[in-house]
């Protein structure tokens, strides 16, 4: 069966490979604190069905406990080491999930897939407070394809070497507010990451979904523009990469190496 990627919005994707469903950073809410979903309907119930969920870091828009509560009982969840200490009541509130704490360099087998944990340049703490106990992570999922889910990250030295050869890259290209701080990729930096990693295909994520309530008129291009700007920048910096800019809920079967 061909590998299929579905983007549900923000950093939430389903990757189906070798009969295994992988879900990334599930966020199913219409509203999260000061953020509201401005584009795309929340994912349907079927999006909560997965064999394994990959949680890149502890920020509430990536590790969202109410969304995790919707997952099928028995789902395996890979979380950064220290998550149980940093997120109050994580295991107690989600006893139906099977948590495995991981750090860069770890490899976890899930069915026919191998999930390799890689580094990310991002503040991985559970905000607004909390010690730096947990790293931010990326993941490389290897089966029929090798799919890199970057989580939330900035560019860093050794990024391409650590990620290695991949077929598909799920890259963040924006955020949820009018300004991106340290440890994020904007369209230009994401295109540079694409040029360094050199996958066969890429899907831009982490943009155009959530925006702060009451800030609709504040730098609205930062909400609307990152996906198309990434397509433009990628065509200039990495023209050999096929970029698939998906609508919310849309799927693609990217080309993979034979």
């Amino acid at each position: 069966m061909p590998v299929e990627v579905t983007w549900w919005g923000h950093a939430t994707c389903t990757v189906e490979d070798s009969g295994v469903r992988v879900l990334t950073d599930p966020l199913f809410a219409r509203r999260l604190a000061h953020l509201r979903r401005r584009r795309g309907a929340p994912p349907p119930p079927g999006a909560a069905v997965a064999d394994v969920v990959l949680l890149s870091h502890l920020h509430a828009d990536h590790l969202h406990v109410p969304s995790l509560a919707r997952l099928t009982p028995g789902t395996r969840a890979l979380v950064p080491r220290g998550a149980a200490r940093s997120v109050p009541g994580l295991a107690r509130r989600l006893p139906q999930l099977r948590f495995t704490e991981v750090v860069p360099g770890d490899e976890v087998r899930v069915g026919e897939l191998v999930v390799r944990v890689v580094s990310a340049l991002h503040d991985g703490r559970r905000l607004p407070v909390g010690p730096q106990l947990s790293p931010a992570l990326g993941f490389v999922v290897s089966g029929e394809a090798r799919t890199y889910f970057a989580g939330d990250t900035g560019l860093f030295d050794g990024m391409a070497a650590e990620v290695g050869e991949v077929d598909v890259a799920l890259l963040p290209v924006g955020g949820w507010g009018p300004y991106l701080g340290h440890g994020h990729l904007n369209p230009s930096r994401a295109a540079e990451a694409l040029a360094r990693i050199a996958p066969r295909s890429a899907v831009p994520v982490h943009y155009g979904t959530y925006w702060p309530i009451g800030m609709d008129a504040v730098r609205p291009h930062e909400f609307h523009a990152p996906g198309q700007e990434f397509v433009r920048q990628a065509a200039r910096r990495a023209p050999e990469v096929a970029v698939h800019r998906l609508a919310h809920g849309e799927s693609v079967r990217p080309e993979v190496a034979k």
Side-chain angles (χ1 to χ4, degrees):
M1 177 180 176
V3 174
E4 185 171 87
V5 176
T6 303
W7 182 52
W8 302 112
H10 204 53
T12 306
C13 298
T14 295
V15 178
E16 298 186 63
D17 187 336
S18 304
V20 180
R21 287 175 60 91
V22 180
L23 181 64
T24 67
D25 287 353
L27 183 57
F28 301 148
R30 291 185 180 275
R31 178 172 175 175
L32 170 62
H34 63 298
L35 305 178
R36 65 184 174 95
R37 191 175 182 113
R38 289 194 56 201
R39 183 181 290 167
V49 178
D51 298 291
V52 62
V53 58
L54 309 180
L55 297 161
S56 64
H57 61 289
L58 305 188
H59 293 175
D61 59 321
H62 291 260
L63 194 160
H64 184 244
V65 173
S67 294
L68 292 173
R70 293 175 53 181
L71 300 182
T72 305
T75 302
R76 190 168 190 180
L78 305 188
V79 297
R81 185 171 63 188
R85 290 176 292 166
S86 299
V87 182
L90 180 66
R92 175 180 53 80
R93 295 170 66 185
L94 301 168
Q96 76 278 21
L97 303 184
R98 298 185 293 127
F99 287 101
T100 301
E101 295 197 351
V102 294
V103 295
D106 287 348
E107 291 190 354
V108 179
R109 178 168 287 278
V110 182
E112 296 298 313
L113 303 182
V114 173
V115 180
R116 179 166 56 90
V117 186
V118 298
S119 303
L121 178 63
H122 193 69
D123 183 347
R125 292 176 295 173
R126 187 67 166 182
L127 299 176
V129 295
Q132 183 68 56
L133 295 175
S134 296
L137 306 174
F139 301 89
V140 177
V141 179
S142 296
E144 294 184 33
R146 290 158 298 187
T147 302
Y148 170 46
F149 169 58
D152 220 350
T153 188
L155 286 169
F156 59 91
D157 292 340
M159 185 183 205
E162 186 171 356
V163 170
E165 186 176 348
V166 292
D167 298 292
V168 187
L170 312 179
L171 289 179
V173 302
W176 50 253
Y179 301 100
L180 285 175
H182 176 71
H184 292 87
L185 296 178
N186 62 11
S188 177
R189 293 192 293 270
E192 174 61 24
L194 199 65
R196 296 184 188 184
I197 298 165
R200 299 174 70 88
S201 302
V203 175
V205 303
H206 204 272
Y207 78 98
T209 307
Y210 291 91
W211 200 249
I213 294 169
M215 297 188 70
D216 290 9
V218 179
R219 296 175 64 87
H221 63 282
E222 298 290 355
F223 177 82
H224 294 285
Q228 186 57 47
E229 179 62 14
F230 172 70
V231 172
R232 188 183 73 82
Q233 294 273 359
R236 182 170 65 87
R237 299 191 186 195
E240 71 284 357
V241 180
V243 177
H244 305 280
R245 185 167 69 95
L246 303 180
H248 292 81
E250 188 178 5
S251 302
V252 64
R253 291 181 174 178
E255 181 182 356
V256 301
K258 301 298 184 183

